[in-house]
Amino acid sequence: MELVSLRRLHLLKERLRRQGFFWSMQFYYQRICKLIYGLMVFGRKDICIFPDTRLGGIDHMRIGKGFTAGRGLWLEAVTDYPAAGQVFSPELIIGDRVNVGEYVHIGCNHRIVIGDDVLMGSKIYITDHNHGVYRGDNSESPNVPPTERCLTANESVEIGDRCWIGEFVTILPGVIIGEGCIIGSHSTVTHNIPANSIAVGCPAQVLKRWDEDSRRWIRLGSKNP
Ligand SMILES: CC(C)(COP(=O)(O)OP(=O)(O)OC[C@H]1O[C@@H](n2cnc3c(N)ncnc32)[C@H](O)[C@@H]1OP(=O)(O)O)[C@@H](O)C(=O)NCCC(=O)NCCS
């Protein structure tokens, strides 16, 4: 306990030295606001979220220890869609020590699982559903307004432990991203990404794989990475 207090004091001193009084106080003010809001909404001291966070279907969320998020977070566990007369039992599961940036939107009406120690940049969108089906039989007609089309609810999204998701990434329904992956900024992930890969682009393609023997990221299709 004493060690923790000493470490906190050391961090405070370091911050004051690096950032000066005003910015240090601003940091702690924001942190206190986030802690109070997390306490009010989830009744927990280890969830740090800004008061402008938008939350829907809290009873369908499981958030691990030490969750922190920037401004404009929108977590939505969709339990019903009255326009199409649908009801859902979504599961939005977030692991321990997940850290997300600003304006991240996660929309879930079926199942989204985010592993432990995942780091996300800002302006990220993750969804497990679409307004309507656009493949095969029973596809949605363009003559029906999008708001009246049924929400799909049969695909999950999984993001493995220790993934790092770059800025402005979109992750679409049905995608499994293995543990230890890096998704480059502005990528759109439409297909599964194997563990320990770096994937970039629209649609995201694997660029590099971690090689445990050489302890290097090896570029795919290259002899001289
Ligand atoms: C994904 C990332 C980590 C890759 O880094 P890297 O492995 O060092 O990449 P390299 O510089 O070796 O680039 C390899 C190739 O991928 C391309 N590339 C890299 N990142 C890309 C991206 N996000 N989108 C599309 N292409 C990308 C490069 O142009 C290069 O292509 P080329 O060889 O044809 O010129 C990095 O580019 C990135 O996107 N970082 C995310 C930054 C971010 O969002 N930070 C938020 C802080 S939480």
Side-chain angles (χ1 to χ4, degrees):
M1 186 62 192
E2 237 174 44
L3 263 180
V4 174
S5 308
L6 278 176
R7 195 176 137 67
R8 289 221 169 113
L9 198 64
H10 173 71
L11 287 175
L12 170 64
K13 273 197 210 154
E14 266 301 295
R15 190 173 295 281
L16 279 166
R17 190 180 64 75
R18 277 187 288 109
Q19 300 182 341
F21 182 77
F22 177 78
W23 293 112
S24 299
M25 290 307 110
Q26 200 226 30
F27 171 85
Y28 286 110
Y29 170 71
Q30 289 192 354
R31 201 162 173 104
I32 289 165
C33 289
K34 287 167 78 176
L35 277 170
I36 291 172
Y37 195 65
L39 202 58
M40 278 166 58
V41 175
F42 289 98
R44 284 170 50 184
K45 285 193 287 187
D46 63 338
I47 293 185
C48 265
I49 49 174
F50 276 97
D52 67 354
T53 298
R54 184 170 162 186
L55 296 162
I58 277 185
D59 295 345
H60 295 259
M61 295 175 194
R62 214 160 70 216
I63 301 184
K65 287 179 269 179
F67 177 76
T68 64
R71 291 180 190 286
L73 175 70
W74 180 6
L75 295 182
E76 182 85 40
V78 183
T79 51
D80 60 353
Y81 189 56
Q86 293 176 284
V87 289
F88 308 106
S89 302
E91 283 181 286
L92 174 49
I93 299 165
I94 298 178
D96 292 339
R97 300 169 299 279
V98 171
N99 198 313
V100 314
E102 301 196 331
Y103 299 98
V104 169
H105 176 191
I106 303 177
C108 166
N109 71 348
H110 183 59
R111 185 173 161 85
I112 295 183
V113 181
I114 296 168
D116 295 338
D117 300 298
V118 169
L119 171 65
M120 293 190 202
S122 297
K123 295 114 190 166
I124 288 168
Y125 179 48
I126 302 171
T127 184
D128 64 355
H129 57 278
N130 288 315
H131 280 267
V133 174
Y134 304 96
R135 309 168 199 148
D137 299 333
N138 304 317
S139 286
E140 206 67 63
S141 156
N143 297 323
V144 175
T147 49
E148 290 172 22
R149 300 175 196 168
C150 283
L151 296 186
T152 58
N154 55 356
E155 291 181 292
S156 304
V157 169
E158 287 177 31
I159 300 174
D161 295 345
R162 301 179 308 286
C163 283
W164 172 34
I165 314 293
E167 304 266 316
F168 291 97
V169 165
T170 297
I171 299 174
L172 291 175
V175 161
I176 297 176
I177 300 176
E179 60 180 32
C181 284
I182 296 167
I183 308 298
S185 55
H186 290 265
S187 299
T188 297
V189 190
T190 58
H191 292 94
N192 295 350
I193 306 293
N196 304 320
S197 308
I198 297 178
V200 298
C202 301
Q205 310 268 4
V206 175
L207 175 75
K208 298 181 184 181
R209 297 286 307 271
W210 174 250
D211 180 55
E212 189 59 36
D213 294 335
S214 62
R215 302 195 59 74
R216 292 182 61 155
W217 291 94
I218 307 289
R219 188 156 176 171
L220 293 198
S222 163
K223 286 187 183 142
N224 303 302

